[in-house]
mmCIF file of all heavy atoms in Angstrom:
data_model
loop_
_atom_site.group_PDB
_atom_site.id
_atom_site.type_symbol
_atom_site.label_atom_id
_atom_site.label_comp_id
_atom_site.label_asym_id
_atom_site.label_seq_id
_atom_site.Cartn_x
_atom_site.Cartn_y
_atom_site.Cartn_z
ATOM 1 N N ARG M 596 17.076 12.889 -15.795
ATOM 2 C CA ARG M 596 17.996 13.249 -14.689
ATOM 3 C C ARG M 596 18.023 14.685 -14.277
ATOM 4 O O ARG M 596 17.888 15.100 -13.237
ATOM 5 C CB ARG M 596 19.435 12.782 -15.176
ATOM 6 C CG ARG M 596 20.472 12.848 -13.985
ATOM 7 C CD ARG M 596 21.830 12.613 -14.421
ATOM 8 N NE ARG M 596 21.942 11.567 -15.500
ATOM 9 C CZ ARG M 596 22.265 11.720 -16.624
ATOM 10 N NH1 ARG M 596 22.565 12.915 -17.204
ATOM 11 N NH2 ARG M 596 22.320 10.551 -17.336
ATOM 12 N N GLU M 597 17.940 15.564 -15.399
ATOM 13 C CA GLU M 597 17.916 16.987 -15.180
ATOM 14 C C GLU M 597 16.583 17.342 -14.290
ATOM 15 O O GLU M 597 16.713 18.141 -13.253
ATOM 16 C CB GLU M 597 17.833 17.770 -16.495
ATOM 17 C CG GLU M 597 18.023 19.141 -16.471
ATOM 18 C CD GLU M 597 18.012 19.625 -17.997
ATOM 19 O OE1 GLU M 597 18.991 19.383 -18.652
ATOM 20 O OE2 GLU M 597 17.054 20.383 -18.266
ATOM 21 N N ALA M 598 15.501 16.794 -14.712
ATOM 22 C CA ALA M 598 14.275 17.120 -13.844
ATOM 23 C C ALA M 598 14.434 16.563 -12.422
ATOM 24 O O ALA M 598 14.200 17.301 -11.461
ATOM 25 C CB ALA M 598 13.133 16.334 -14.544
ATOM 26 N N LEU M 599 14.737 15.318 -12.259
ATOM 27 C CA LEU M 599 14.831 14.579 -10.879
ATOM 28 C C LEU M 599 15.992 15.332 -10.126
ATOM 29 O O LEU M 599 15.752 15.361 -8.820
ATOM 30 C CB LEU M 599 15.059 13.132 -10.982
ATOM 31 C CG LEU M 599 13.859 12.348 -11.650
ATOM 32 C CD1 LEU M 599 14.311 10.930 -11.753
ATOM 33 C CD2 LEU M 599 12.675 12.430 -10.984
ATOM 34 N N THR M 600 17.048 15.712 -10.688
ATOM 35 C CA THR M 600 18.038 16.444 -9.775
ATOM 36 C C THR M 600 17.509 17.674 -9.270
ATOM 37 O O THR M 600 17.870 18.074 -8.175
ATOM 38 C CB THR M 600 19.309 16.803 -10.812
ATOM 39 O OG1 THR M 600 19.759 15.498 -11.269
ATOM 40 C CG2 THR M 600 20.381 17.350 -9.988
ATOM 41 N N GLY M 601 16.616 18.395 -10.009
ATOM 42 C CA GLY M 601 15.984 19.556 -9.407
ATOM 43 C C GLY M 601 14.813 19.213 -8.600
ATOM 44 O O GLY M 601 14.009 20.145 -8.126
ATOM 45 N N ASP M 602 14.598 17.824 -8.333
ATOM 46 C CA ASP M 602 13.478 17.467 -7.449
ATOM 47 C C ASP M 602 12.048 17.692 -8.213
ATOM 48 O O ASP M 602 11.174 18.112 -7.503
ATOM 49 C CB ASP M 602 13.550 18.145 -6.087
ATOM 50 C CG ASP M 602 12.583 17.317 -5.116
ATOM 51 O OD1 ASP M 602 12.316 16.143 -5.289
ATOM 52 O OD2 ASP M 602 12.281 17.900 -4.054
ATOM 53 N N TYR M 603 11.994 17.626 -9.471
ATOM 54 C CA TYR M 603 10.831 17.616 -10.205
ATOM 55 C C TYR M 603 10.328 16.292 -10.758
ATOM 56 O O TYR M 603 11.170 15.711 -11.581
ATOM 57 C CB TYR M 603 10.962 18.692 -11.379
ATOM 58 C CG TYR M 603 11.340 19.969 -11.025
ATOM 59 C CD1 TYR M 603 12.732 20.456 -11.434
ATOM 60 C CD2 TYR M 603 10.649 20.928 -10.341
ATOM 61 C CE1 TYR M 603 13.133 21.658 -10.935
ATOM 62 C CE2 TYR M 603 11.037 22.091 -9.824
ATOM 63 C CZ TYR M 603 12.304 22.508 -10.172
ATOM 64 O OH TYR M 603 12.764 23.645 -9.718
ATOM 65 N N PRO M 604 9.289 15.787 -10.224
ATOM 66 C CA PRO M 604 8.878 14.470 -10.869
ATOM 67 C C PRO M 604 8.485 14.554 -12.342
ATOM 68 O O PRO M 604 8.117 15.726 -12.788
ATOM 69 C CB PRO M 604 7.544 14.147 -10.073
ATOM 70 C CG PRO M 604 7.551 15.151 -8.883
ATOM 71 C CD PRO M 604 8.368 16.224 -9.351
ATOM 72 N N VAL M 605 8.612 13.574 -13.081
ATOM 73 C CA VAL M 605 8.488 13.585 -14.529
ATOM 74 C C VAL M 605 7.132 12.831 -14.949
ATOM 75 O O VAL M 605 7.169 11.649 -14.524
ATOM 76 C CB VAL M 605 9.674 13.130 -15.241
ATOM 77 C CG1 VAL M 605 9.482 13.049 -16.750
ATOM 78 C CG2 VAL M 605 10.924 13.810 -14.854
ATOM 79 N N ALA M 606 6.310 13.425 -15.651
ATOM 80 C CA ALA M 606 5.093 12.763 -16.223
ATOM 81 C C ALA M 606 5.642 11.934 -17.439
ATOM 82 O O ALA M 606 6.394 12.562 -18.299
ATOM 83 C CB ALA M 606 4.071 13.761 -16.625
ATOM 84 N N PHE M 607 5.247 10.690 -17.519
ATOM 85 C CA PHE M 607 5.725 9.769 -18.611
ATOM 86 C C PHE M 607 4.498 9.281 -19.207
ATOM 87 O O PHE M 607 3.705 8.618 -18.604
ATOM 88 C CB PHE M 607 6.565 8.751 -17.948
ATOM 89 C CG PHE M 607 7.076 7.588 -18.889
ATOM 90 C CD1 PHE M 607 7.205 7.781 -20.211
ATOM 91 C CD2 PHE M 607 7.398 6.327 -18.308
ATOM 92 C CE1 PHE M 607 7.723 6.798 -21.059
ATOM 93 C CE2 PHE M 607 7.797 5.238 -19.092
ATOM 94 C CZ PHE M 607 7.907 5.469 -20.514
ATOM 95 N N LEU M 608 4.423 9.607 -20.561
ATOM 96 C CA LEU M 608 3.298 8.951 -21.374
ATOM 97 C C LEU M 608 3.725 7.900 -22.175
ATOM 98 O O LEU M 608 4.798 7.957 -22.948
ATOM 99 C CB LEU M 608 2.832 10.140 -22.310
ATOM 100 C CG LEU M 608 1.835 9.585 -23.404
ATOM 101 C CD1 LEU M 608 0.534 9.033 -22.854
ATOM 102 C CD2 LEU M 608 1.562 10.792 -24.511
ATOM 103 N N ASN M 609 3.201 6.780 -21.888
ATOM 104 C CA ASN M 609 3.498 5.534 -22.680
ATOM 105 C C ASN M 609 2.358 5.111 -23.537
ATOM 106 O O ASN M 609 1.365 4.708 -23.062
ATOM 107 C CB ASN M 609 3.736 4.352 -21.559
ATOM 108 C CG ASN M 609 3.768 2.998 -22.307
ATOM 109 O OD1 ASN M 609 4.370 2.848 -23.357
ATOM 110 N ND2 ASN M 609 3.133 2.113 -21.650
ATOM 111 N N LEU M 610 2.511 5.367 -24.851
ATOM 112 C CA LEU M 610 1.372 4.934 -25.754
ATOM 113 C C LEU M 610 1.568 3.400 -26.087
ATOM 114 O O LEU M 610 0.394 3.010 -26.341
ATOM 115 C CB LEU M 610 1.571 5.771 -27.120
ATOM 116 C CG LEU M 610 1.265 7.247 -26.914
ATOM 117 C CD1 LEU M 610 1.518 8.030 -28.073
ATOM 118 C CD2 LEU M 610 -0.106 7.536 -26.363
#
Side-chain angles (χ1 to χ4, degrees):
R596 189 186 318 108
E597 191 175 291
L599 296 177
T600 302
D602 198 25
Y603 302 112
V605 180
F607 173 28
L608 171 63
N609 163 48
L610 293 173

